[in-house]
């Protein structure tokens, strides 16, 4: 078994923080320029980082695909179905029936749905990387971007557009795993190699924050921001920004250790934080502070997001989730 690479867990910890805080602050993003600008900065790269980390740790394993990934998708969908019926009181007849609700991804479940598809491309991506070296990785990356762009020409149902739109980031993690490992090892030993990318990120995203903050109206751009709809060809700057940001974060966080524990527990947090948020919205806990001075909503969603993270990072929750997610996979290994 390959040794665990701490920098990946550190980046996964950062990624899950951004995912959770991004979802919680979204409740106020159309009310406050400060929240909107912060939200735009997070969404410019957080899923690129998360997808690349999935690619960095991916290993082709058909048995794991079935007994863990596919099992977890249907387990998660079943739990979400019960939650939607009991807590959200959703009328499934309006959205295609109970079977469609069970099979088709609910909100954030699209990521598990996408990972199943992406896993099937691993043999080809690894072949290009291992047999042809850097040239093969570049060829694979060009093909992945072409797939992402071509996929965007079709009006896919069931959020399939995200499978294509985010695939290049996953492919980047797989194809450039050796180079990113080398970069992380070099930056760990060289302070300047960590500080320069960190400074570049601070300046770049600082300017982007100011641009969004100073816009005459609060920006929306939801379709492009969430990749919820197909787009018409042409280069997507999001690919360049997301990949460049991920590479810079590999260097900047290469020696970090504070988020490793969180990064090792991302799956349960990712899967369960959105039902918690949906419950809080259902209880109208965000409503009293709409229109209040910006510091109060910021403190409120920070408190709620931190509490959700603390609960989901709690060891009993993690142990129970680990058992449920891996019961068939671990049984097959024993």
């Amino acid at each position: 078994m390959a040794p665990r690479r701490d920098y990946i867990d550190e980046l996964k910890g950062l990624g899950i923080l951004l995912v959770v805080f991004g979802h919680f602050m979204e409740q106020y993003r159309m009310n406050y320029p400060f929240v909107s600008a912060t939200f735009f900065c997070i969404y410019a790269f957080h899923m690129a980082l998360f997808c690349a980390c999935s690619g960095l740790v991916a290993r082709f394993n058909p048995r794991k695909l079935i007994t863990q990934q596919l099992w977890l998708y249907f387990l998660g969908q079943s739990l979400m179905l019960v939650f939607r019926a009991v807590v959200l009181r959703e009328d499934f007849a309006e959205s295609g029936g109970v079977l469609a609700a069970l099979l088709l991804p609910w909100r954030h479940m699209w990521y598990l749905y996408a990972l199943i598809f992406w896993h099937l491309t691993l043999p080809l991506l690894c072949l290009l990387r291992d047999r042809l070296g850097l040239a093969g990785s570049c060829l694979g990356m060009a093909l992945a971007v072409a797939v992402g762009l071509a996929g965007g020409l079709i009006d896919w149902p069931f959020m399939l557009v995200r499978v294509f739109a985010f695939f290049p980031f996953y492919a980047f993690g797989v194809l450039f795993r050796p180079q990113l490992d080398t970069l992380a090892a070099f930056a760990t030993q060289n302070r300047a190699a960590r500080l320069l990318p960190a400074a570049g990120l601070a300046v770049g995203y600082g300017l982007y924050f100011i641009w969004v903050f100073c816009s005459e109206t609060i920006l929306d751009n939801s379709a492009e921001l969430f990749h919820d709809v197909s787009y018409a060809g042409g280069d997507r700057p999001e690919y360049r920004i997301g990949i460049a940001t991920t590479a810079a974060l590999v260097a900047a966080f290469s020696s970090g250790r504070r988020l490793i524990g969180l990064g090792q527990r991302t799956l349960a947090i990712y899967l369960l934080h959105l039902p918690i948020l949906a419950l809080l919205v259902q209880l109208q806990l965000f409503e009293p502070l709409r229109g209040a001075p910006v510091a109060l909503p910021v403190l409120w969603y920070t408190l709620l997001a931190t509490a959700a993270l603390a609960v989901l990072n709690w060891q009993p929750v993690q142990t129970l989730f680990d058992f449920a997610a891996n019961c068939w996979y671990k049984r097959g290994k024993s």
Side-chain angles (χ1 to χ4, degrees), residues 17 83 135 143 175 183 187 204 229-230 245 312:
L17 278 176
F83 173 80
L143 291 173
L175 292 165
L183 173 61
V229 298
S230 298
T245 299
L312 297 178

Side-chain angles (χ1 to χ4, degrees), residues 214-228:
C214 294
S215 298
E216 291 185 5
T217 58
I218 293 178
L219 299 179
D220 189 0
N221 297 353
S222 292
E224 189 169 325
L225 203 60
F226 301 119
H227 297 280
D228 276 336

